[in-house]
Amino acid sequence: MTSSQVTRVLIVEDEPDALELMQWWTEEQGWEVQIARSGRAAVEMGKSFKPDLLITDYFLQDDVSGLDVIEQLRSQGSDARCVLVTGLMGSALAEDVRRLEGVPILTKPFDFKRLGELLTR
């Protein structure tokens, strides 16, 4: 990605307040932002939007989890930098995430400074 390109961010979140806050913060960074409220919508959107960065909640209201979104976008050839966000961090989730290389987990509520570090490093 060259410096003249705008960074494309896909946010996947079904909780309206969290979505609004993440959308506001990413737009403030000058990034082009698309939002999805379900895993299925995110996978479809990812096909054409081709995000550089993906911020996804783990637990979504449909049967496609945040991990599924990451795996499906990667299977489509995406090399987006990903961050998984969750309100509940248990051993089962930690074990699930181990199967995805290089995907950091942020526990809600999180610090946007930390999110920025994970997305831009």
Side-chain angles (χ1 to χ4, degrees):
M1 178 170 50
T2 64
S3 59
S4 63
Q5 289 180 307
V6 174
T7 301
R8 293 178 314 276
V9 182
L10 177 56
I11 301 170
V12 189
E13 175 62 70
D14 55 11
E15 187 179 307
D17 291 341
L19 176 60
E20 183 179 331
L21 194 55
M22 285 189 279
Q23 182 177 8
W24 169 83
W25 183 84
T26 51
E27 288 174 347
E28 284 293 306
Q29 308 310 304
W31 298 336
E32 180 182 348
V33 179
Q34 292 286 317
I35 60 170
R37 291 180 172 84
S38 72
R40 281 196 183 105
V43 171
E44 283 305 308
M45 193 175 294
K47 291 176 184 177
S48 58
F49 182 61
K50 303 211 183 301
D52 301 304
L53 306 173
L54 172 67
I55 305 167
T56 182
D57 192 11
Y58 176 70
F59 295 105
L60 299 166
Q61 290 182 0
D62 60 3
D63 60 349
V64 179
S65 74
L67 285 176
D68 295 332
V69 171
I70 293 168
E71 288 179 323
Q72 289 183 39
L73 290 181
R74 285 181 174 176
S75 74
Q76 296 170 10
S78 175
D79 61 353
R81 181 172 292 127
C82 304
V83 174
L84 189 68
V85 178
T86 184
L88 300 169
M89 186 61 193
S91 58
L93 173 60
E95 190 173 309
D96 271 354
V97 172
R98 278 191 213 107
R99 74 179 192 241
L100 295 177
E101 292 183 32
V103 178
I105 303 171
L106 276 180
T107 305
K108 295 178 188 176
F110 57 83
D111 180 346
F112 278 98
K113 180 179 177 188
R114 179 70 180 135
L115 176 61
E117 290 168 357
L118 293 172
L119 291 173
T120 59
R121 68 174 176 184

